[in-house]
Amino acid sequence: MSSDLIIDVTPSEIVIALQEDRKLVELTREKSGARFAVGDIYLGKIKKIMPSLNAAFIDVGYEKDAFLHYLDLGPQFATLNKFLRLSSSAKSKVSSLGRIQSEPDINKEGKINELLKEGQKIIVQVSKEPISTKGPRLTSEISIAGRNLVLMPFSDKVSVSQKIKTNEEKNRLKKLVQSIKPRKYGVIVRTVAEGKKVAELDQELNGLVTKWETTFSKLSKAKTPSLIIGEIDRTTALLRDIYHTDFNSIIVNDESVCNEISNYIGSIQADKKRIVKFYKGRTPIFEHYGVEKQIKAAFGKTVSFKDGAYLIVEHTEAFHVIDVNSGNRVKVGMDQETNALDVNLAACDEIARQLRLRDMGGIIVIDFIDMHVAANRQKVYDHMKEVMAADRTKHNILPLSKFCLMQITRQRVRPQETIETAENCPTCKGTGKIVPSVLFADELESKIKYAFNDLHKKKLVLKVHPYVAAYLTKGIKSVRNKWFLEYFKWIKIEANNSFTFLEYHFFDDNQEELIL
């Protein structure tokens, strides 16, 4: 599988599009100067203790107070508090975590008012960005992520990613990291560390430790609220998490950002710097590489995916609902059960893509086409787990019920990506909405393909608005000629002035209208 990253840099934001095999699978937006990203570490002040929730509200500088639950304090919270107290003291000479005596782990069943009080300073890390009307969600179990390792101050544990399959490699990495890590630091070994040598891991580990220990000098001068350690920008963070040797290209339309990414890729894999390219074209970068058209096709309430089948996607505050529809497309020779299975399996691929693309989180309920055979429901469940394996976000998938409903929970750490795809209608002067016009020709071709290949029609008559008829027939390389070369069957196109702008009807050679 080939991967391409296309980055559109504007004065107000950076938009990052990830394509796998030329198909858009992730779209991320980062506002210029954005704060409170996942991973940012702040020195905050406790504004309010809520014993009934066993939680506290923390001032970290956001317009709404951030939320910290007792269970998110972490076992080593007492040691973190001691570290803050010593680092904030002008008289303290402590300059290394190894010199701080660890405190006992806090009680898992404890109460937050036993450990915190209003007005107290506290070190916290953003675990969820502000979403809707809610402020950031916080944790005091600090972690600093690198490409191969995640550093956990105040912990002595070393753990290895479960995605590394062989026990020999897991044991090698665990022993290797245990031999090089400093005292009072825990480490999580990430999947990409598989096969890495000690020198590379040691260099990254030292960099992460140095990054954390800069807080010693910062905390003595810091005022609340203030940012202590900022997560790297989202472009580099995305590269850190997803970059692999199969990347074909990383294309950027801003020279300075291009140089930053090139240097980062060079630090990981020097011979891969060549895949980072600066786009100089006049056409907008997303338009040039076909990303804009994919955005129009993938977002919105209705999403087509195979032979006319489509999804209906609805969003609510509590959860998301996805309805799978066959679009009345039944393949010749298939019974209802087999057709339902075929559409549902194809729907799994598109749903997995939609979850990543829109970054949908929380509860997702999917209404598949009814299947009465339990083995078929199991096939859909297994296939959904298989295609969701590529999703880096934590998720859980439940088997289909007898009503063919599936529930998925997916971790929600950022606001969902929402793009309005409907356009102002030129016929009604903006009083209504139509589907994106850029997809109109594709929609016609999909129905023509169905009529010729599945319904085995010999001839087709297509009646459309005169403007559309001119668009389809004009020139030697017209859309109609392209269809003829594709199917070796001629399509007669007739203009009808009474039609609305994007209205169309198909007829067979007996002048009977086809409902496609």
Side-chain angles (χ1 to χ4, degrees):
M1 178 178 64
S2 64
S3 299
D4 301 279
L5 206 63
I6 300 166
I7 303 170
D8 182 18
V9 182
T10 66
S12 60
E13 66 178 1
I14 297 177
V15 188
I16 307 158
L18 172 64
Q19 294 191 123
E20 293 178 354
D21 294 331
R22 303 293 179 185
K23 195 168 187 178
L24 184 66
V25 295
E26 287 188 28
L27 189 71
T28 308
R29 294 177 186 272
E30 181 182 11
K31 296 289 183 184
S32 297
R35 299 173 63 203
F36 309 103
V38 172
D40 284 350
I41 299 174
Y42 285 85
L43 177 64
K45 181 181 284 188
I46 298 170
K47 292 291 292 292
K48 195 172 185 179
I49 303 291
M50 301 291 289
S52 59
L53 298 175
N54 206 16
F57 286 98
I58 315 293
D59 177 16
V60 291
Y62 188 65
E63 57 189 271
K64 293 183 180 292
D65 291 334
F67 183 80
L68 175 67
H69 193 272
Y70 181 86
L71 295 176
D72 293 321
L73 291 176
Q76 294 87 30
F77 178 75
T79 308
L80 175 65
N81 232 6
K82 184 178 182 179
F83 164 78
L84 174 59
R85 190 171 64 252
L86 292 172
S87 300
S88 301
S89 171
K91 298 179 181 179
S92 175
K93 295 182 180 180
V94 175
S95 60
S96 172
L97 207 60
R99 297 184 180 183
I100 298 176
Q101 184 67 35
S102 296
E103 298 292 318
D105 289 357
I106 65 172
N107 180 10
K108 290 181 181 179
E109 307 297 328
K111 301 297 180 183
I112 200 158
N113 51 6
E114 297 170 355
L115 296 174
L116 304 180
K117 59 183 180 181
E118 291 182 9
Q120 176 183 338
K121 291 182 179 180
I122 185 171
I123 296 176
V124 288
Q125 186 170 30
V126 177
S127 59
K128 283 187 181 181
E129 294 179 9
I131 296 173
S132 186
T133 59
K134 299 175 183 177
R137 177 79 183 251
L138 305 176
T139 178
S140 280
E141 197 163 8
I142 307 298
S143 63
I144 303 175
R147 175 162 172 77
N148 301 295
L149 308 171
V150 178
L151 185 70
M152 308 280 289
F154 313 108
S155 170
D156 272 320
K157 294 180 180 178
V158 175
S159 55
V160 181
S161 168
Q162 295 298 315
K163 291 183 180 179
I164 296 177
K165 296 178 181 178
T166 64
N167 289 327
E168 291 80 6
E169 181 63 5
K170 285 181 182 178
N171 292 333
R172 183 189 76 87
L173 288 169
K174 189 168 186 177
K175 289 177 182 178
L176 188 156
V177 172
Q178 283 174 335
S179 68
I180 61 175
K181 79 172 186 67
R183 290 178 59 248
K184 305 291 176 65
Y185 286 101
V187 176
I188 299 171
V189 183
R190 306 182 74 175
T191 309
V192 291
E194 188 171 6
K196 294 292 192 298
K197 295 180 180 180
V198 64
E200 185 176 349
L201 297 180
D202 186 47
Q203 182 182 4
E204 182 173 303
L205 182 59
N206 288 334
L208 294 174
V209 171
T210 301
K211 186 175 182 179
W212 168 251
E213 295 199 342
T214 57
T215 57
F216 282 100
S217 57
K218 290 180 180 178
L219 287 171
S220 61
K221 303 172 185 176
K223 296 180 180 180
T224 57
S226 61
L227 177 66
I228 302 300
I229 297 178
E231 176 62 291
I232 55 179
D233 65 86
R234 195 165 293 179
T235 309
T236 312
L238 186 67
L239 282 172
R240 180 190 66 197
D241 294 339
I242 70 170
Y243 176 77
H244 51 77
T245 54
D246 290 336
F247 259 66
N248 276 2
S249 60
I250 300 171
I251 304 163
V252 195
N253 64 349
D254 182 273
E255 195 166 7
S256 62
V257 175
C258 182
N259 290 335
E260 288 174 17
I261 293 173
S262 180
N263 292 335
Y264 179 75
I265 295 295
S267 68
I268 298 171
Q269 200 173 3
D271 62 326
K272 279 285 188 175
K273 284 184 72 172
R274 57 183 172 75
I275 71 171
V276 184
K277 301 169 186 174
F278 174 47
Y279 175 72
K280 300 178 182 178
R282 293 184 178 181
T283 308
I285 187 170
F286 278 5
E287 189 74 33
H288 181 79
Y289 289 101
V291 175
E292 194 65 43
K293 185 174 181 180
Q294 290 194 64
I295 291 172
K296 292 282 189 182
F299 286 87
K301 183 176 177 180
T302 303
V303 180
S304 299
F305 61 94
K306 181 186 178 183
D307 293 337
Y310 60 94
L311 307 176
I312 301 287
V313 185
E314 295 276 9
H315 306 287
T316 72
E317 185 66 26
F319 59 94
H320 311 275
V321 182
I322 301 175
D323 184 32
V324 180
N325 292 276
S326 65
N328 297 321
R329 300 288 183 93
V330 179
K331 289 191 174 181
V332 177
M334 279 192 180
D335 57 26
Q336 191 277 333
E337 182 78 12
T338 306
N339 187 69
L341 175 62
D342 182 57
V343 173
N344 287 339
L345 290 174
C348 290
D349 298 325
E350 183 59 32
I351 290 167
R353 173 177 174 247
Q354 286 290 324
L355 296 186
R356 291 175 65 187
L357 193 55
R358 303 186 189 213
D359 203 9
M360 294 160 63
I363 300 170
I364 300 106
V365 178
I366 305 164
D367 182 10
F368 284 102
I369 299 171
D370 285 348
M371 295 177 295
H372 304 291
V373 180
N376 289 339
R377 294 197 292 269
Q378 184 65 36
K379 285 179 183 178
V380 172
Y381 172 60
D382 291 340
H383 187 60
M384 180 61 84
K385 288 198 297 184
E386 180 185 337
V387 294
M388 285 288 288
D391 193 339
R392 301 186 314 279
T393 303
K394 292 180 182 177
H395 59 270
N396 185 41
I397 305 171
L398 298 182
L400 278 75
S401 71
K402 66 179 181 179
F403 302 112
C404 279
L405 295 175
M406 175 184 284
Q407 294 180 62
I408 298 176
T409 56
R410 190 172 182 271
Q411 190 178 32
R412 184 181 180 186
V413 297
R414 295 189 180 93
Q416 174 195 314
E417 184 67 42
T418 304
I419 295 175
E420 180 61 56
T421 60
E423 300 174 351
N424 285 334
C425 175
T427 303
C428 62
K429 306 300 182 185
T431 59
K433 298 287 185 179
I434 61 170
V435 296
S437 57
V438 70
L439 304 177
F440 183 66
D442 291 348
E443 182 180 342
L444 290 178
E445 184 172 3
S446 173
K447 299 198 171 186
I448 289 167
K449 179 181 178 182
Y450 176 68
F452 284 149
N453 294 349
D454 293 273
L455 300 183
H456 306 297
K457 296 296 179 181
K458 303 292 185 185
K459 294 181 181 179
L460 280 181
V461 177
L462 173 58
K463 296 184 180 181
V464 290
H465 187 277
Y467 286 174
V468 177
Y471 168 74
L472 296 175
T473 58
K474 186 177 180 181
I476 297 174
K477 295 182 179 180
S478 68
V479 176
R480 178 169 60 179
N481 287 344
K482 188 188 80 170
W483 290 340
F484 177 78
L485 294 173
E486 178 76 21
Y487 304 104
F488 295 102
K489 294 178 182 177
W490 188 251
I491 299 167
K492 185 178 180 181
I493 295 178
E494 296 180 359
N496 190 318
N497 286 309
S498 67
F499 283 14
T500 57
F501 188 55
L502 296 182
E503 183 181 356
Y504 62 90
H505 296 276
F506 282 98
F507 297 82
D508 62 14
D509 49 354
N510 295 321
Q511 289 300 308
E512 291 182 0
E513 184 173 357
L514 301 174
I515 307 301
L516 301 177

